[in-house]
Amino acid sequence: RLCYRPDNINSDGLGEMAELKLETAPVDRRVPTQNQAKACYMYYNSWHQCKYDFSDEEPQCKKLRQWAHSMCPMEWLERWEAQRENGTYAGPVPGETKGKSAPPAH
């Protein structure tokens, strides 16, 4: 399936068409099918933790990113990314020690 990829902008300022395999996250029995907000939040945070632990190029991180983008409304993703950049994201932030003092440097 061909899809418009705005992240691949060429010199004309236009995105290019790219072959993209579309798939969604697997069924998770912990999350009811009626409301996927919990799965969205879980995959989004797991993706960022994976990026912190490994890299954005790690296959599992790519899969988590795809699942987050398939489960979450784009408005949520954009808002959460802006909050992460501003340091106001209320969810878990990899590498951050909330409420804990940093270990003393030796």
Side-chain angles (χ1 to χ4, degrees), residues 3-51:
C3 295
Y4 174 69
R5 299 272 318 266
D7 54 331
N8 292 343
I9 305 293
N10 60 27
S11 61
D12 297 335
L14 302 173
E16 59 186 50
M17 298 296 280
E19 188 72 28
L20 181 66
K21 180 180 177 187
L22 298 178
E23 59 184 63
T24 189
V27 174
D28 188 334
R29 293 176 191 231
R30 298 171 293 175
V31 183
T33 58
Q34 290 81 9
N35 185 346
Q36 293 297 313
K38 183 177 178 181
C40 157
Y41 187 72
M42 179 183 65
Y43 287 128
Y44 178 79
N45 289 308
S46 295
W47 165 45
H48 279 279
Q49 184 66 50
C50 187
K51 286 193 323 182

Side-chain angles (χ1 to χ4, degrees), residues 16-96:
E16 59 186 50
M17 298 296 280
E19 188 72 28
L20 181 66
K21 180 180 177 187
L22 298 178
E23 59 184 63
T24 189
V27 174
D28 188 334
R29 293 176 191 231
R30 298 171 293 175
V31 183
T33 58
Q34 290 81 9
N35 185 346
Q36 293 297 313
K38 183 177 178 181
C40 157
Y41 187 72
M42 179 183 65
Y43 287 128
Y44 178 79
N45 289 308
S46 295
W47 165 45
H48 279 279
Q49 184 66 50
C50 187
K51 286 193 323 182
Y52 177 78
D53 292 341
F54 304 103
S55 80
D56 210 12
E57 297 304 313
E58 175 70 26
Q60 184 61 29
C61 298
K62 286 181 175 184
K63 190 177 289 189
L64 289 166
R65 179 187 184 277
Q66 181 179 3
W67 292 349
H69 279 78
S70 73
M71 301 294 281
C72 301
M74 190 53 66
E75 296 82 27
W76 292 9
L77 295 171
E78 290 170 354
R79 183 173 56 233
W80 291 341
E81 289 300 314
Q83 290 172 347
R84 282 183 178 281
E85 289 176 16
N86 296 330
T88 59
Y89 181 67
V93 178
E96 183 180 90

